[in-house]
């Protein structure tokens, strides 16, 4: 049991509305590893346009902690709660966080949806900057697209990928 306490795992946390960046800074100030996926978007105001970094998933960020640090995370300003699945805190494999970072660094436009999409054929991207990422093929807005499920977050990331770049996984 002691060994389990020492293992650092990525855990998703829910933040207060529009507090993602401040919560991340507060966690980093406590020397807690925190990752906030941001996507650059062009915002339109009545008098101007401006590029801003917006959270990819509203009110979510990820912390990589040992079990003993959970209370410290919850005591951080801006953090509401951990995300649970089947009665336990949802843990994210390191590969999923790395895949998410890779997706955000790619030139592809990402779309987040809370829509529960039906599972389809398993695929892997065989070329390009997303090579090695696996997912499911879906029909969405009448286009073939790659769907990557992020563990138990009840969110899906949809990225458009040319069919020539994917191959079926048996």
């Amino acid at each position: 049991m002691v060994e389990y306490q020492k293992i650092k795992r990525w855990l998703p946390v829910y933040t207060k509305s529009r507090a993602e960046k401040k919560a991340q800074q507060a966690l980093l100030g406590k020397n807690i590893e925190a990752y906030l996926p941001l996507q650059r978007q062009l915002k339109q105001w009545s008098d101007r346009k401006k590029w801003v970094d917006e959270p990819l998933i509203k009110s979510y960020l990820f912390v990589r902690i040992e079990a003993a640090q959970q209370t410290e995370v919850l005591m951080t300003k801006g953090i509401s709660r951990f995300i649970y699945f089947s009665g336990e805190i949802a843990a994210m494999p390191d590969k999923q966080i790395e895949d998410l970072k890779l997706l955000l660094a790619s030139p592809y436009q990402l779309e987040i949806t809370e829509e529960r999409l039906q599972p389809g054929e398993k695929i892997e991207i065989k070329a390009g900057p997303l090579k090695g990422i696996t997912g499911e093929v879906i029909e969405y807005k009448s286009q073939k697209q790659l769907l990557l499920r992020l563990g138990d977050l009840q969110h899906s990331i949809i990225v458009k990928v040319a069919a020539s770049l994917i191959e079926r996984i048996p």
Side-chain angles (χ1 to χ4, degrees), residues 23-165:
Q24 180 193 29
Q25 290 305 312
L27 288 165
L28 294 173
K30 293 180 174 187
N31 289 323
I32 295 174
E33 188 175 355
Y35 173 58
L36 175 59
L38 296 171
Q39 184 173 38
R40 194 159 203 85
Q41 294 181 341
L42 185 61
K43 292 287 186 171
Q44 172 74 51
W45 284 270
S46 60
D47 61 336
R48 61 193 160 92
K49 291 181 180 180
K50 184 178 178 182
W51 286 97
V52 294
D53 290 326
E54 290 285 320
L56 182 66
I57 305 171
K58 302 264 187 258
S59 296
Y60 276 75
L61 61 86
F62 304 93
V63 293
R64 188 168 186 263
I65 60 170
E66 298 172 2
Q69 296 175 287
Q70 291 176 5
T71 303
E72 189 65 29
V73 170
L74 291 173
M75 292 174 41
T76 304
K77 185 174 182 167
I79 300 295
S80 293
R81 60 185 168 83
F82 284 99
I83 306 301
Y84 282 80
F85 182 75
S86 298
E88 294 184 20
I89 295 176
M92 306 282 298
D94 289 350
K95 177 151 176 33
Q96 283 186 341
I97 297 296
E98 293 307 314
D99 286 351
L100 182 57
K101 290 177 181 179
L102 181 63
L103 280 169
L104 287 169
S106 76
Y108 297 105
Q109 183 64 36
L110 304 180
E111 174 186 348
I112 292 291
T113 178
E114 291 184 36
E115 184 177 335
R116 288 305 231 171
L117 302 163
Q118 296 302 310
E121 194 168 27
K122 303 279 188 214
I123 59 98
E124 179 178 348
I125 300 177
K126 61 182 181 178
L130 303 179
K131 181 179 180 178
I133 293 180
T134 59
E136 300 175 29
V137 174
I138 61 165
E139 284 295 322
Y140 191 78
K141 296 184 181 178
S142 301
Q143 296 179 19
K144 270 194 172 178
Q145 298 176 338
L146 170 68
L147 165 68
L148 288 180
R149 292 199 189 276
L150 280 183
D152 303 320
L153 293 183
Q154 298 178 350
H155 285 74
S156 300
I157 294 181
I158 298 170
V159 59
K160 295 178 185 176
V161 177
S164 62
L165 296 179

